[in-house]
Amino acid sequence: NKIITDLDIFFHFNRESQIISVTGTNGKSTTCKLLKEVFKRAGYDAQLGGNIGKPILSLKKSNNKTVFIIEVSSYQLEYTQNFKPNHAAILNISPDHMDRHRTIKDYVNAKIKIFKLQTFQDHAYLNLNDRLNNKIIKNFKKYKFSSKINKVNRFKFIKIFKKIQNKYLLSQNNLENISFVIKIANNYKIKLGVILKVLNKFKGLPHRQEKISFNRNIICINDSKATSFASSLQSLQNYRNIFWIV
């Protein structure tokens, strides 16, 4: 029997809307939340939903400036048939959900379905500093994808990073997330000043490198959202003299 997913139903009713979709092993929720705040500050009706928590079918278009920002997982993408975002990003890929996908090849194949139905008018965003993203870039034509490739390289944004005073966002993984936010916002011609205002006020999401208590000698970090070794490693690389409670 044919499986129709919530992504397919959502797209059926919103095919004329602007849809930005983000997937990846790590950083999806932070990137989507930042995108929502940037677009909201730029005057858009930014609607955020999907894997981040708010059901995608509860989102509604209110006007011509509505932009849907959708976080999608490999589970959601695996069975989707019709979902076509205008802007689609894969932040990074490392082995995850192997109990479901069995092999890294199957996991990657689920992720790249985010690009499958895009046309030449749409944009695909891939991380130039991620090994598996680089493989996708090299095989983009082989997969017969039609969208414009936007290669995201965080080292190209060093001058912008120097303007960020928000220490929470200066970890390596968050700089990667910010790079995608800047690249997508640039394609919507959102001014850098708007982006920087959001970045400098952003307080982060619960359970993601969240500082819950600290004094001169001890900082306690709640990073319980990191449920794989790869995501834990990103946090651990930001600190020294660590007591890691797992």
Side-chain angles (χ1 to χ4, degrees):
N1 292 331
K2 184 178 179 180
I3 296 172
I4 299 174
T5 71
D6 57 347
L7 291 177
D8 298 325
I9 296 168
F10 170 82
F11 183 70
H12 175 77
F13 289 103
N14 294 284
R15 59 178 65 247
E16 301 301 323
S17 303
Q18 281 294 304
I19 301 172
I20 300 169
S21 190
V22 177
T23 193
T25 305
N26 302 302
K28 298 185 292 294
S29 295
T30 297
T31 304
C32 285
K33 182 66 173 173
L34 281 168
L35 282 167
K36 182 197 174 181
E37 297 305 320
V38 165
F39 276 82
K40 187 177 174 184
R41 190 167 192 100
Y44 288 84
D45 167 42
Q47 302 267 352
L48 175 62
N51 193 59
I52 197 169
K54 191 169 184 179
I56 192 171
L57 295 180
S58 68
L59 305 180
K60 293 179 181 177
K61 182 176 180 178
S62 66
N63 57 51
N64 289 334
K65 293 212 79 176
T66 297
V67 172
F68 293 108
I69 297 155
I70 311 298
E71 178 185 325
V72 290
S73 71
S74 58
Y75 286 40
Q76 291 172 297
L77 288 166
E78 188 175 14
Y79 292 112
T80 184
Q81 302 292 324
N82 305 310
F83 184 64
K84 187 190 82 69
N86 305 93
H87 296 256
I90 299 180
L91 304 179
N92 47 62
I93 301 177
S94 57
D96 200 13
H97 304 308
M98 290 298 105
D99 56 327
R100 166 72 170 250
H101 299 292
R102 303 298 180 190
T103 67
I104 189 67
K105 182 180 178 182
D106 288 343
Y107 181 50
V108 171
N109 284 339
K111 290 289 189 190
I112 62 175
K113 282 189 76 177
I114 200 169
F115 305 134
K116 187 176 179 181
L117 296 178
Q118 286 191 304
T119 70
F120 69 94
Q121 295 176 312
D122 301 318
H123 290 263
Y125 301 80
L126 286 153
N127 188 347
L128 207 56
N129 306 119
D130 180 83
R131 182 178 64 86
L132 289 171
N133 266 235
N134 258 309
K135 277 192 173 183
I136 297 167
I137 292 169
K138 288 173 184 174
N139 291 306
F140 210 75
K141 288 185 179 178
K142 180 182 172 183
Y143 291 127
K144 297 182 180 178
F145 296 149
S146 304
S147 45
K148 301 168 191 169
I149 300 180
N150 293 257
K151 299 173 186 177
V152 181
N153 181 359
R154 72 174 184 270
F155 297 108
K156 294 270 188 180
F157 298 101
I158 290 172
K159 286 184 179 179
I160 295 175
F161 295 158
K162 288 178 180 178
K163 297 178 182 180
I164 300 171
Q165 286 99 43
N166 185 348
K167 290 182 180 179
Y168 173 82
L169 288 177
L170 294 178
S171 62
Q172 288 304 306
N173 54 312
N174 275 329
L175 292 178
E176 185 178 278
N177 299 336
I178 290 168
S179 301
F180 277 86
V181 171
I182 295 169
K183 197 83 170 175
I184 293 169
N186 281 347
N187 279 331
Y188 278 86
K189 296 183 169 50
I190 295 175
K191 293 179 180 177
L192 179 59
V194 171
I195 301 168
L196 286 171
K197 281 180 181 177
V198 170
L199 297 179
N200 282 320
K201 287 187 176 182
F202 188 68
K203 293 181 179 178
L205 297 173
H207 318 302
R208 294 163 178 85
Q209 298 188 43
E210 179 184 11
K211 291 185 180 181
I212 53 175
S213 67
F214 58 94
N215 57 37
R216 287 175 62 186
N217 301 312
I218 299 173
I219 301 173
C220 294
I221 308 293
N222 174 4
D223 198 42
S224 55
K225 188 66 174 64
T227 53
S228 69
F229 179 73
S231 53
S232 296
L233 185 63
Q234 288 188 336
S235 180
L236 293 170
Q237 287 174 333
N238 294 314
Y239 303 99
R240 295 182 180 181
N241 303 321
I242 300 163
F243 291 90
W244 189 26
I245 302 170
V246 182

